[in-house]
Amino acid sequence: MTYLFAAYVATWVIHIAYLGHLARGYARLNREIEELNRKR
């Protein structure tokens, strides 16, 4: 049962880290779009 709990926690940690990675990429993309719009 301990391994099942450890796997559950590890899965959530990986999902949260992945969502953070996606959010940072989305924020960077929005900054680049704003920069390109200002140059027009």
Side-chain angles (χ1 to χ4, degrees):
M1 190 67 169
T2 305
Y3 292 118
L4 180 63
F5 181 72
Y8 182 76
V9 169
T11 301
W12 275 106
V13 168
I14 290 168
H15 280 93
I16 291 169
Y18 181 63
L19 287 175
H21 177 72
L22 287 178
R24 282 194 311 268
Y26 183 71
R28 182 177 54 86
L29 182 61
N30 277 335
R31 283 193 306 269
E32 290 180 11
I33 290 171
E34 288 298 322
E35 182 180 332
L36 287 173
N37 284 336
R38 275 187 257 125
K39 288 182 179 180
R40 273 202 292 168

